[in-house]
Amino acid sequence: VQRVTWMEDIWLHTDGVGFVSALLPTESQKKETGYGLENVAQHISKYNRMGVLPNGIVWDDHGLTSQKAHGTFAASKDLVAAKDKVKSDLFKAGIIPDPKKPLFIYVGRYAEEKGIDKLEAMVKAAIDGGGQCVVMGWGVQKDVVPEDIQKLQRLSNEYQKNLKVYTQPEDQTAQFGAS
């Protein structure tokens, strides 16, 4: 409670509040997602004191279709066709069991700040909902696999072909470099 009061005071007495996502100004004004700050968020919104500073990324330079960022791996303008091709390629490589099923992919560093503690629930929900999952990344320390990822590795036995978990960059390069 004290923390929220402190935040309210800052929000009320500052020239503006910057958010790193375009959704956050709206979400901060809702009771369900405002973390107790929705009233003050509504107040500062009335005075046009909310802004968005999108996390330092220029989408044209870094988006999925950016040749500059992704070179030959950039997605085509027709994302649906690109998604279908990727799923087909993953299927042909034996990475996913069905190119028609929904696909959830996590690619990133296995670190707490990336939310890896949420991956197990997301994977279960995706697979229980008829989907399939590929989780790939690397630990903060070489050859150390965090407990949350070890849980996913054990879970892959239960879900068999619908979940693949990769933890070593060398394995990922060998598997995906060939596909």
Side-chain angles (χ1 to χ4, degrees):
V1 175
Q2 187 175 14
R3 187 176 195 179
V4 170
T5 305
W6 176 75
M7 286 295 293
E8 284 180 80
D9 191 48
I10 289 174
W11 280 22
L12 285 171
H13 296 96
T14 189
D15 290 330
V17 177
F19 295 90
V20 295
S21 164
L23 291 176
L24 287 176
T26 304
E27 294 297 309
S28 69
Q29 296 177 58
K30 297 177 183 175
K31 184 175 178 132
E32 311 80 59
T33 51
Y35 297 100
L37 294 168
E38 57 275 357
N39 291 335
V40 77
Q42 291 166 10
H43 175 77
I44 64 174
S45 176
K46 286 180 194 174
Y47 297 99
N48 219 10
R49 291 174 36 211
M50 289 183 158
V52 176
L53 309 166
N55 231 358
I57 294 176
V58 176
W59 189 251
D60 291 342
D61 291 342
H62 300 285
L64 296 174
T65 59
S66 169
Q67 292 285 328
K68 180 178 174 183
H70 304 292
T72 58
F73 297 103
S76 71
K77 298 290 182 189
D78 181 0
L79 265 246
V80 173
K83 284 187 346 182
D84 289 345
K85 180 177 179 345
V86 167
K87 286 168 70 172
S88 176
D89 289 348
L90 291 173
F91 173 73
K92 288 175 188 171
I95 296 167
I96 61 173
D98 187 341
K100 303 285 187 222
K101 283 180 157 184
L103 176 60
F104 168 81
I105 299 176
Y106 171 87
V107 179
R109 192 165 36 92
Y110 295 145
E112 184 179 332
E113 65 269 16
K114 298 292 185 181
I116 62 169
D117 59 319
K118 309 286 189 267
L119 277 176
E120 182 179 7
M122 290 175 10
V123 163
K124 285 180 177 180
I127 294 173
D128 291 345
Q132 55 200 338
C133 301
V134 176
V135 177
M136 55 190 296
W138 53 94
V140 177
Q141 298 174 332
K142 186 166 175 53
D143 298 325
V144 176
V145 179
E147 179 58 33
D148 290 309
I149 302 305
Q150 290 177 29
K151 286 181 193 174
L152 285 179
Q153 288 175 314
R154 291 189 291 272
L155 197 61
S156 68
N157 294 328
E158 179 183 336
Y159 287 120
Q160 298 175 355
K161 294 180 182 181
N162 286 314
L163 172 61
K164 298 279 178 130
V165 180
Y166 297 91
T167 60
Q168 299 300 317
E170 302 80 28
D171 297 339
Q172 294 166 49
T173 303
Q175 181 68 49
F176 293 94
S179 357

